[in-house]
Amino acid sequence: TTSIASHIASGNPDRLRPQTGLPLASYFAGTKVKWLLDNVPELQKDLPSGDVRFGTIDTWLMYQLTGKPSNDTHAANVGGMFITDVSNASRWLFLDIATTEWDPALVNVVTAPHEVPMSALPEIRQSSEVYAKCTSVLEGVPAAAILGDQQAALFGQCAFEPGEAKNTYGTGMNNAYKIDGKVYYALEGSVSHSGSTIQWLRDQLQVIKSASESETYASEHNDGLYMVPAFAGLFAPHWRSDARACIVGMTASHHKGHICRAALEAAAYQAKELFDAIYKDSRVVLKNLRVDGGGTNNRLLMQFQSDIINVPVVKPKIMETTSMGAAFSAGLAVGVWKDLQQIRELWSVADTFSPKMHDDERQKNWAGWQKAVSKSLDWVEDEDEDEFEDAMEGPLELAKPQRSDTSYTSPILLLAAAAIGGCVGFLVGRQRK
């Protein structure tokens, strides 16, 4: 789908950003819809009949949870609710982030020459509301929350105030969520590899036997050695599909301890890149960084993260923040908690890492990382291009959203979130009734 995104961009990856808040990249679901329609003849045949449905995993799960058994014993449930929420819809390239509705013009730009009816896309609902009662084994249980992974984790970390942030260390402008009629907007980035780099050291290079050994063997300093884990290119803020992973600055005195440290530091450097880009766009000063995920067990990484971004890193007692966020959202919908303040009171701190690095050392390390990133670029010279018709004839023209009946409440609420190894983001939320 890289060639699809490149073709639609026509040299301008920000072509749809004013409407979608997203760069044109293969990461987003709309390019997958285009690929499916280009390559699955059955879909092309069935599309005009209205029998085709597209959805992300949340949509499929809701359809199954609220559906009924099919007459075909080999089929899944049928007749369930065909819905999604704004946090998931915002990652398609089809959503107008101002109206929080699917935009037919955007759908056409991404999927042309195919004509995708709006009925093929799920209805967009709030992130917290009682959608329906479940059927089958969960008979009668309210289905009351739909959230994207990192938006749920943000909610579970209770990062509700300006300058707060959340970062998930795992394997890998949009709408964050919509609750009680208010839309919270977000800036979100994506990093393809971070925590999974440690898995690569373990499984591919076999220089360690377990993830925890990365901290055991890591040297006290990187001694000029950097690793850029661009195994699948560089995502935010670079968006360079031509980049590839590299280890630079190596001398004969370096050993596996330096490689372990460089892999750990790479996660922290990538987070700093995102927060720097977010500050440039939002001018929100980061107060602290709330963290979760398996990487938080690595104290070296947590301390280096605090050092390189120069703010405290805070680890909560309950680490399953995505599950907590989904539960909090559902609980709000059914009245378990009456407001965000009650949820905030449930959150508590397990550990805090404060910056210890001198500024001159921080600047030196950062300059080395930026130089290393520059060496990772331009490795893939020619992407395989598919033969397909141009998505648009002439310049892109999209209708400007009508804002005459749209009012924004005050004050503007700025939220922050990030996820390393998957979706990485900083939620810059703006409440809209």
Side-chain angles (χ1 to χ4, degrees):
T1 55
T2 297
S3 60
I4 291 176
S6 177
H7 186 79
I8 298 169
S10 300
N12 179 16
D14 292 329
R15 185 182 181 188
L16 303 183
R17 192 187 290 268
Q19 291 78 30
T20 67
L22 304 174
L24 273 163
S26 61
Y27 181 75
F28 304 111
T31 60
K32 277 64 173 176
V33 172
K34 164 68 173 174
W35 186 93
L36 287 168
L37 290 170
D38 284 346
N39 292 278
V40 182
E42 291 82 359
L43 278 179
Q44 299 174 20
K45 179 181 178 181
D46 292 341
L47 192 62
S49 70
D51 292 334
V52 174
R53 298 289 184 270
F54 296 104
T56 42
I57 187 64
D58 59 296
T59 297
W60 187 85
L61 287 171
M62 188 61 67
Y63 189 84
Q64 296 303 313
L65 288 171
T66 60
K68 58 184 180 181
S70 170
N71 293 328
D72 186 340
T73 57
H74 300 290
N77 286 354
V78 296
M81 297 194 72
F82 184 50
I83 62 175
T84 188
D85 86 308
V86 293
S87 69
N88 288 285
S90 67
R91 312 303 284 170
W92 281 67
L93 291 170
F94 292 169
L95 184 86
D96 185 315
I97 60 172
T99 64
T100 64
E101 298 290 344
W102 301 124
D103 187 327
L106 289 170
V107 176
N108 181 62
V109 168
V110 177
T111 64
H114 311 287
E115 296 181 2
V116 177
M118 293 300 99
S119 61
L121 303 177
E123 177 188 356
I124 301 171
R125 300 285 288 271
Q126 294 193 128
S127 306
S128 175
E129 63 172 291
V130 178
Y131 311 108
K133 297 291 182 68
C134 293
T135 57
S136 188
V137 294
L138 296 176
E139 184 75 40
V141 175
I146 303 175
L147 281 165
D149 182 21
Q150 297 313 315
Q151 290 86 349
L154 170 73
F155 213 71
Q157 284 277 30
C158 300
F160 303 140
E161 296 298 322
E164 294 177 339
K166 184 215 76 78
N167 202 342
T168 298
Y169 299 82
T171 59
M173 169 65 76
N174 67 53
N175 299 103
Y177 38 76
K178 184 176 183 180
I179 294 176
D180 195 24
K182 299 176 181 177
V183 178
Y184 295 76
Y185 288 88
L187 290 175
E188 185 176 4
S190 306
V191 170
S192 62
H193 287 77
S194 188
S196 57
T197 307
I198 303 303
Q199 296 177 9
W200 180 75
L201 294 183
R202 181 193 65 196
D203 301 336
Q204 300 301 113
L205 290 192
Q206 299 182 0
V207 298
I208 55 176
K209 295 180 179 180
S210 64
S212 61
E213 285 189 351
S214 63
E215 182 175 8
T216 303
Y217 289 121
S219 57
E220 186 175 354
H221 302 286
N222 66 18
D223 291 329
L225 187 145
Y226 293 85
M227 176 187 292
V228 181
F231 296 104
L234 289 172
F235 285 17
H238 306 282
W239 296 108
R240 293 289 296 266
S241 61
D242 62 306
R244 286 298 179 266
C246 63
I247 298 174
V248 300
M250 187 180 296
T251 68
S253 63
H254 287 118
H255 49 74
K256 75 175 183 179
H258 292 98
I259 294 177
C260 287
R261 184 175 185 97
L264 292 170
E265 288 185 350
Y269 286 129
Q270 289 179 98
K272 176 173 168 55
E273 285 184 322
L274 291 168
F275 288 120
D276 284 354
I278 286 159
Y279 175 77
K280 181 179 179 180
D281 286 341
S282 68
R283 297 300 172 183
V284 176
V285 177
L286 184 64
K287 292 181 178 178
N288 61 62
L289 178 62
R290 300 183 181 188
V291 297
D292 53 64
T296 60
N297 295 319
N298 192 304
R299 297 185 65 84
L300 187 156
L301 171 57
M302 293 297 96
Q303 183 58 56
F304 188 79
Q305 183 70 86
S306 176
D307 288 339
I308 205 66
I309 61 176
N310 201 27
V311 299
V313 168
V314 182
K315 182 178 177 179
K317 287 185 177 180
I318 299 177
M319 299 298 293
E320 298 300 328
T321 55
T322 297
S323 299
M324 287 292 292
F328 287 158
S329 182
L332 279 176
V334 300
V336 175
W337 300 285
K338 67 177 183 180
D339 55 29
L340 297 181
Q341 182 56 37
Q342 284 193 343
I343 292 175
R344 183 189 297 279
E345 292 170 359
L346 300 174
W347 189 85
S348 57
V349 176
D351 206 349
T352 300
F353 300 83
S354 299
K356 298 179 180 180
M357 185 179 291
H358 292 297
D359 188 61
D360 55 349
E361 183 180 358
R362 181 181 303 107
Q363 295 302 322
K364 179 181 178 181
N365 287 334
W366 183 236
W369 167 259
Q370 291 177 304
K371 186 176 182 179
V373 168
S374 71
K375 304 302 181 183
S376 74
L377 305 177
D378 297 316
W379 282 101
V380 180
E381 295 183 0
D382 295 302
E383 293 287 348
D384 292 333
E385 292 291 340
D386 298 323
E387 293 294 328
F388 54 86
E389 295 182 34
D390 196 350
M392 289 285 291
E393 293 292 334
L396 170 66
E397 294 183 3
L398 294 174
K400 295 182 179 179
Q402 299 298 318
R403 303 174 187 267
S404 58
D405 59 349
T406 300
S407 60
Y408 291 94
T409 61
S410 182
I412 290 176
L413 177 61
L414 298 175
L415 304 176
I420 293 293
C423 294
V424 178
F426 183 101
L427 295 177
V428 182
R430 181 165 59 173
Q431 293 185 188
R432 178 168 69 84
K433 286 185 176 180

